[in-house]
Amino acid sequence: DMLPAPASYIATRRMYEHVLHAGAAEKKLVVLCFCSTACAGSDRIAAKYREFALRFSDDAICVKIDVVHFEDLKERCKVTSTPTFVFIRDGAPVDQLAGSNDVTLFVKFLKHTKKEAPPPKDPWGSTLGASGRRAESAGATGEQRGAQ
């Protein structure tokens, strides 16, 4: 069986099982994006998810699961909102991200594939730390200045 194209929808339960098996056999991360065509957040993150799926294709198998067609998988993976990304290694979930924050998603791809990459930039141009939060600038904070 062929794997689906990066970031494409799985069509059958058999394809879902095949993706999990291939991930374990090839020692790759499997990323399941639980989404819905009626969800604005799912639409918002779709292009970035595809970009990451292609960028990390040597280390990860990335697919989408439509929650309307696979309600049981949604429940099995404890997904309560869309989009939700479930990260699986060796057949077991290792992480989960709810929401459409592309920076946090990128950081999780880096963490779970052990890829070296420059940290992503936030829209204001400052470098984001591993936590996904803007790095604090050196120097006193407003509270500290007020106490002096």
Side-chain angles (χ1 to χ4, degrees):
D1 285 349
M2 297 244 330
L3 286 171
S8 64
Y9 282 98
I10 62 159
T12 64
R13 158 114 25 243
R14 186 162 177 240
M15 180 57 71
Y16 168 78
E17 299 294 343
H18 178 62
V19 164
L20 290 185
H21 178 75
E26 297 173 27
K27 300 284 185 230
K28 287 186 175 186
L29 178 70
V30 173
V31 184
L32 307 175
C33 173
F34 286 87
C35 51
S36 165
T37 54
C39 167
S42 294
D43 287 345
R44 223 181 357 262
I45 196 74
K48 279 292 183 188
Y49 181 57
R50 179 166 164 63
E51 178 187 320
F52 299 159
L54 293 169
R55 180 174 182 168
F56 292 93
S57 62
D58 290 346
D59 304 289
I61 300 170
C62 303
V63 294
K64 292 195 223 177
I65 297 175
D66 188 324
V67 295
V68 173
H69 296 109
F70 294 97
E71 185 75 31
D72 59 323
L73 293 181
K74 178 183 138 186
E75 288 173 13
R76 183 192 301 177
C77 293
K78 298 176 175 52
V79 170
T80 57
S81 62
T82 57
T84 293
F85 299 88
V86 178
F87 297 81
I88 296 173
R89 173 121 4 236
D90 298 320
V94 293
D95 206 347
Q96 189 161 315
L97 170 66
S100 56
N101 184 321
D102 61 321
V103 173
T104 306
L105 181 61
F106 183 71
V107 169
K108 287 192 181 288
F109 265 96
L110 289 176
K111 174 183 173 184
H112 294 295
T113 60
K114 307 288 190 274
K115 274 275 193 225
E116 292 298 321
K121 299 276 187 181
D122 77 7
W124 296 273
S126 63
T127 301
L128 295 177
S131 68
R133 292 193 181 89
R134 221 173 286 116
E136 295 297 324
S137 60
T141 64
E143 283 178 24
Q144 289 168 326
R145 277 195 297 275
Q148 292 171 345

